[in-house]
Amino acid sequence: MTTESSKPPSRQQRQHCWKLRDEYFACLDRLTIVDPVIVEKEPEKAKECLEKKSKYEDACMASWVEYFNKRRVLDVKQREYLEFSKQQSGKQP
Amino acid sequence: MVFFNKTFREEIMSGCNIAFRYKGAKNNPVFLFPIPSFSTIIIKMLRTGVRTFTAALRRQPQSQHQKTVTRFALQRRLLTTARDEEKARNRAAIGVFNWKSAALFLGTGAGLLLYFRQEKERVTKLREEKARETSKAYGKPKIGGPFELINAENGKRFDSTKELAGKFYMVYFGFTHCPDICPEELDKMAEVVDIAKEKKEPLVPVFITCDPRRDSAEIVKEYVKDFHPDMIGLTGDQDEIRKVAKSFRVYVSSPPSVEEGEDYLVDHSIFFYLMDPDGKFVDCYAKDTTAEEVVSSYEKYYKEYYADKK
């Protein structure tokens, strides 16, 4: 039986979710917080972003929020590692 | 030694039109005029005569052979004019190389060059074809195969061997609750299909869900309609989907224990699988290939397939 919650988001809903996610992450970038889990544990650290956070979590499904948060950490780590390896290799682009 | 005056000499020189490059001949008076002076002949005669005479006095009488050689040498020396000598000297300097032989050499060279170029092209073409054939015979992995699922459009059975026969099709495995990757990839697939349609190379997009628990036929139908009107959405029950995924070597992993209504994501490999009209696997495209790259690759396979058929 398909309940309302199991119906997948439409294109508009998806894009709405993505937009709010980007806003929230931009706010975190300004505070140089990488892992959104920190905000969960210590909300005082990111007071300005809390409103955006709640909007983001409302618009997106819970599994998506978790996925996006984890992806953010991975992406930052990956970018840092690529920078590091580029420096180490000494090759000029 | 100089019988003729300067102006006569110059006239003869200008009339000759031959470049003299004999080394060391600059100061040779014989070099200057083509006709031997009478005195030169006399002197030569005397010189040779004296030599032979003294040689004869000193040595044993000459053998018949030696006498012949001396006589011919004498004749040659007497009758050779300066021009002949120059010519001989020039010929010796240049060797066998004159205009005729030069032309022949260049002509042969050019001919050989053209011939070899042609041959090389032919051989490389042959080799390429052979390489292609062998790769076709051995290099295609046994991915995919006939499958039977439920068509989300009408809820009826969908048999790939019947519905997709005679058409190129591209399969993507995903699920409707996918956060960002599946929508992106399906948008890319829609773009590929549109470009291919413009080029008159029809391609059928097929979406198979990896999450049959949540993705019923209606849900899949609505989902794929959002991307492209030609897209076929397929679903089925767990076993069928698992069998198809296995035949395509697709990595699919649902969380093991999920309750009703709970939200979860399905992990799956992100590839487009291009299949030919015989239902055989052709190629797969990863997440980082652009739509244009996919189309150009598809075009090659399309042309190859139909060229063979002809």
Side-chain angles (χ1 to χ4, degrees), chain B residues 145-183:
Chain B
F147 54 85
E148 214 185 280
L149 292 170
I150 299 174
N151 191 349
E153 186 75 37
N154 47 26
K156 294 211 191 83
R157 298 300 292 175
F158 182 94
D159 188 349
S160 71
T161 50
K162 296 204 191 87
E163 315 267 353
L164 294 169
K167 299 181 212 154
F168 269 98
Y169 59 102
M170 203 179 273
V171 184
Y172 180 73
F173 288 83
F175 63 109
T176 60
H177 286 75
C178 189
D180 50 3
I181 299 186
C182 297

Side-chain angles (χ1 to χ4, degrees), chain B residues 45-92:
Chain B
M45 270 176 74
L46 284 174
R47 213 173 13 182
T48 321
V50 163
R51 255 194 225 149
T52 321
F53 185 62
T54 47
L57 280 181
R58 272 190 273 119
R59 291 188 220 124
Q60 250 60 8
Q62 285 183 326
S63 65
Q64 199 55 33
H65 171 71
Q66 189 65 5
K67 281 192 190 144
T68 326
V69 167
T70 321
R71 187 169 49 180
F72 279 129
L74 198 68
Q75 269 181 4
R76 199 170 57 229
R77 281 194 143 197
L78 289 175
L79 297 176
T80 309
T81 60
R83 183 172 44 200
D84 290 344
E85 281 192 22
E86 278 147 18
K87 258 204 205 153
R89 259 182 253 135
N90 289 335
R91 227 179 294 139

Side-chain angles (χ1 to χ4, degrees), chain B residues 79-142:
Chain B
L79 297 176
T80 309
T81 60
R83 183 172 44 200
D84 290 344
E85 281 192 22
E86 278 147 18
K87 258 204 205 153
R89 259 182 253 135
N90 289 335
R91 227 179 294 139
I94 298 169
V96 292
F97 201 68
N98 58 29
W99 293 118
K100 259 189 257 170
S101 67
L104 187 66
F105 174 73
L106 286 173
T108 320
L112 278 172
L113 191 75
L114 288 169
Y115 170 69
F116 277 121
R117 249 194 228 159
Q118 236 181 347
E119 273 299 300
K120 189 173 176 185
E121 271 180 36
R122 191 176 66 89
V123 170
T124 40
K125 227 182 268 183
L126 241 133
R127 244 187 243 158
E128 265 173 36
E129 267 188 45
K130 221 184 273 183
R132 231 186 295 144
E133 271 179 34
T134 47
S135 76
K136 253 196 256 172
Y138 307 124
K140 288 263 140 75
K142 194 160 175 281

Side-chain angles (χ1 to χ4, degrees), chain A residues 2-91:
Chain A
T2 54
T3 58
E4 198 51 53
S5 59
S6 61
K7 200 161 177 295
S10 68
R11 194 184 280 267
Q12 278 77 19
Q13 284 172 316
R14 276 202 299 266
Q15 282 171 340
H16 183 60
C17 163
W18 294 346
K19 194 161 76 95
L20 292 174
R21 172 202 64 181
D22 290 338
E23 280 174 17
Y24 174 54
F25 282 174
C27 181
L28 287 186
D29 282 340
R30 277 197 295 272
L31 299 174
T32 64
I33 296 176
V34 174
D35 196 350
V37 171
I38 298 175
V39 182
E40 295 281 340
K41 293 195 197 138
E42 294 160 21
E44 329 81 57
K45 282 211 174 154
K47 263 188 287 223
E48 308 96 67
C49 302
L50 288 178
E51 200 200 310
K52 293 207 174 90
K53 177 171 178 293
S54 57
K55 270 204 274 191
Y56 156 61
E57 282 171 7
D58 284 337
C60 304
M61 293 164 62
S63 57
W64 290 25
V65 168
E66 198 186 316
Y67 169 76
F68 288 140
N69 291 350
K70 284 205 188 120
R71 264 242 72 126
R72 179 181 158 79
V73 176
L74 280 174
D75 282 345
V76 167
K77 278 216 183 81
Q78 194 181 52
R79 220 180 311 145
E80 281 175 9
Y81 182 71
L82 285 172
E83 283 294 323
F84 175 71
S85 70
K86 215 185 283 182
Q87 272 178 5
Q88 288 288 313
S89 78
K91 273 192 211 158

Side-chain angles (χ1 to χ4, degrees), chain B residues 221-237:
Chain B
K221 181 167 153 196
E222 214 183 299
Y223 189 68
V224 300
K225 231 194 310 202
D226 193 21
F227 293 102
H228 199 280
D230 295 344
M231 198 178 284
I232 299 175
L234 298 173
T235 180
D237 62 28

